[in-house]
Amino acid sequence: MSRKGPAYDGDELLARLGSLTSRAREYAELQRSQVELAIALQRGMLPAEMPTAPRYHLAVRYAPACHGLNVGGDWYDAFHLPDGRIGLSIGDVQGHNIEAAAFMGQVRVGLRALASVTSEPGEVLARTNDLLLSLGTDLFATCTFLRLDPATGVLESARAGHIPFVWATADGKSGVGADEGGPPLGVAAGMTYPVTCYRLTTGGVFVLLTDGVVEGPSMEVGQGLDQVVRLAGIAAVAGMDAGALATAVMRGADQVGHEDDAAVLVVGYEGAETQP
């Protein structure tokens, strides 16, 4: 005895196919709207302008992932501190959705607010860590926070689970930041974050970035950092401006085949103005 499914005539089959297509289209539109909302949320939470200081140049480049339905939570920030120094931060929130994008905004605002109370980088990260834990979320973030003194060129750095920055000087030296660092923000209470001091010299550059710039299916993080070190070294020797270096680093990010956000923040120093 043969078993056969119900027979459908041509019109009924076309109607069913049309219904399935319509539902698939509605679902795709919904997902696209969610991605567009997350991207708008991200961009609305990032700073519209960079702070200025004589002889210093800051440049940023940012590219949201938009791989499929994923949207990450990378951020960058730079702002004047009450004592005249400049606070710099860059980081990455765990997750790739609207919740991660919203949490990114909370981290960035928390860092700014706490830096206005105590701008010492290790203390800023420790207090931000406790603040995020008090929110009761399962999300966490990696971050680097730096304090720049425009009068001396001194940069104080503290790192919370984030990839190190890259530096280069006009005399041809370049490398990766050697600060010890601590765990990501929002993981465990009572964490401490060591502070390491650096100095920006004439023609020098510091390149802060997120892992989407240097790590992906086509490249390991060590190789990606080496690539940025080479670019920064060439830029410093050639006297390339901060904006051009930031663009070159972001273009290099295309080679890693990343599926994550990519953010770059470059700090360049022309040196003290010479007296006539």
Side-chain angles (χ1 to χ4, degrees), residues 101-128:
F103 187 67
M104 173 269 284
Q106 292 177 307
V107 178
R108 175 179 166 257
V109 170
L111 283 165
R112 274 206 180 207
L114 291 168
S116 68
V117 178
T118 172
S119 63
E120 197 274 338
E123 186 69 17
V124 169
L125 292 186
R127 293 193 181 195
T128 303

Side-chain angles (χ1 to χ4, degrees), residues 63-153:
C66 296
H67 179 79
L69 303 178
N70 291 335
V71 176
D74 288 16
W75 84 89
Y76 60 84
D77 201 6
F79 50 93
H80 286 291
L81 295 167
D83 61 6
R85 287 180 279 193
I86 295 174
L88 305 160
S89 74
I90 193 163
D92 183 4
V93 171
Q94 170 235 4
H96 297 85
N97 51 33
I98 294 178
E99 185 181 3
F103 187 67
M104 173 269 284
Q106 292 177 307
V107 178
R108 175 179 166 257
V109 170
L111 283 165
R112 274 206 180 207
L114 291 168
S116 68
V117 178
T118 172
S119 63
E120 197 274 338
E123 186 69 17
V124 169
L125 292 186
R127 293 193 181 195
T128 303
N129 177 61
D130 293 339
L131 173 64
L132 297 183
L133 287 170
S134 72
L135 299 177
T137 177
D138 292 330
L139 296 177
F140 62 86
T142 66
C143 173
T144 294
F145 184 84
L146 295 92
R147 179 171 63 176
L148 168 64
D149 186 348
T152 63

Side-chain angles (χ1 to χ4, degrees), residues 69 122 149 183 198 211 257 267:
L69 303 178
D149 186 348
Y198 303 86
D211 56 6
V267 185

